[in-house]
Amino acid sequence: MKRYFDGIVHRNKRIAPGVFDMTVAGEAVAARPGQFAMLYPGGDSRLLPRPISFCGADEKNGLYRFVYQAAGGGTTLLAALEPGRTIRALAPLGNGFPETRPGERAAIIGGGLGVPPLLWLTRSRAASGAEVSVFLGFRSDPILLREFAETGAGVSVSTDDGSMGFHGNAADMFENFADEPAFDTVYACGPKPLLARAAGIAEKIRAACYVSVEERMACGVGACYCCAVETRGETKYRKCCADGPVFDAKELVWGAGAVG
Ligand SMILES: Cc1cc2nc3c(=O)[nH]c(=O)nc-3n(C[C@H](O)[C@H](O)[C@H](O)COP(=O)(O)OP(=O)(O)OC[C@H]3O[C@@H](n4cnc5c(N)ncnc54)[C@H](O)[C@@H]3O)c2cc1C
């Protein structure tokens, strides 16, 4: 159940230009892959919290990991929090990725800062015996690659500038691998054009597809409606924070801007 807690920043380290790896020690919170926390930028609640996905959690020891980009004012304040500082959080939020099915063959596709939540998903799928192939795309500076490789999943990397791995984005790379219906399920997180492409490829290979959508949000709990996403269902607009952030890709309406 979601609740506020005051955690202690255990570690907050730069791991790539503008990207930080933060571990927060706090009381036990039962989170699962695909869920997120609202983190208060200056540590306290003077500013609106920012949504950041769990990259991992060690509930037994009350340790929660977040990997994030210092993208603007709020996340730059998060990046400035030194170990030992208190940080207020509201968690766990959102629905998370669905449970795995026995013998699942999963393709996990991530782009840029959509990659961190997929590390926990990959770990949990690999640990449950699923056959997992991971496709990760970055502009130029890959993150978390060693940890993805340690899960035992097959990991393929692409960069927009061709400096490492496949030259192009994660969807192009995935399409190269996905001629045959070798996957039952596709999971994706990253920029909307990447999610739309992943959904299209999944449909072609007749795989189920779940995408984690990162809309701008203010409250994180379904009260303010500012993170509405357009869906095909009867309820035309659904809340990314409370109904998502993970949606069955078939439910979503991909606007023109998403088909990049
Ligand atoms: C459910 C969810 C999970 C997320 N998980 C992560 C994560 O694990 N790691 C991570 O680095 N980021 C994640 N984000 C994005 C992160 O919340 C935003 O980058 C952050 O809120 C920006 O706040 P700011 O004050 O630093 O920047 P602002 O000054 O508010 O914005 C700076 C730039 O970031 C863009 N931006 C703002 N909000 C978002 C958003 N929601 N998605 C994409 N771009 C945005 C703005 O358009 C602007 O270009 C997640 C977002 C959501 C909704």
Side-chain angles (χ1 to χ4, degrees), residues 134-138 142 145 155-159 164-168 173:
V134 182
F135 303 88
L136 306 175
F138 302 91
L145 293 189
V155 182
S156 307
V157 180
S158 73
T159 45
M164 186 191 272
F166 181 89
H167 191 172
M173 177 171 57

Side-chain angles (χ1 to χ4, degrees), residues 4 6 39-50 74 77 81 85-89:
Y4 285 98
D6 289 309
L39 300 178
Y40 284 84
D44 55 31
S45 45
R46 277 173 302 171
L47 296 170
L48 274 181
R50 302 302 195 268
L77 283 170
L81 289 174
R85 282 285 305 272
T86 302
I87 178 166
R88 192 156 181 70

Side-chain angles (χ1 to χ4, degrees), residues 36 50-53 67-69 71-75 113 214-217 245:
F36 64 99
R50 302 302 195 268
I52 303 290
S53 301
V67 171
Y68 63 95
Q69 183 178 35
T75 43
L113 268 296
E214 295 192 351
E215 290 295 332
R216 298 199 73 158
M217 53 180 71

Side-chain angles (χ1 to χ4, degrees), residues 11 13-21 65 67-68 142-144:
R11 156 197 154 110
K13 196 172 163 233
R14 182 180 168 278
I15 56 167
V19 181
F20 294 80
D21 186 345
R65 183 178 182 196
V67 171
Y68 63 95
I143 53 168
L144 306 173

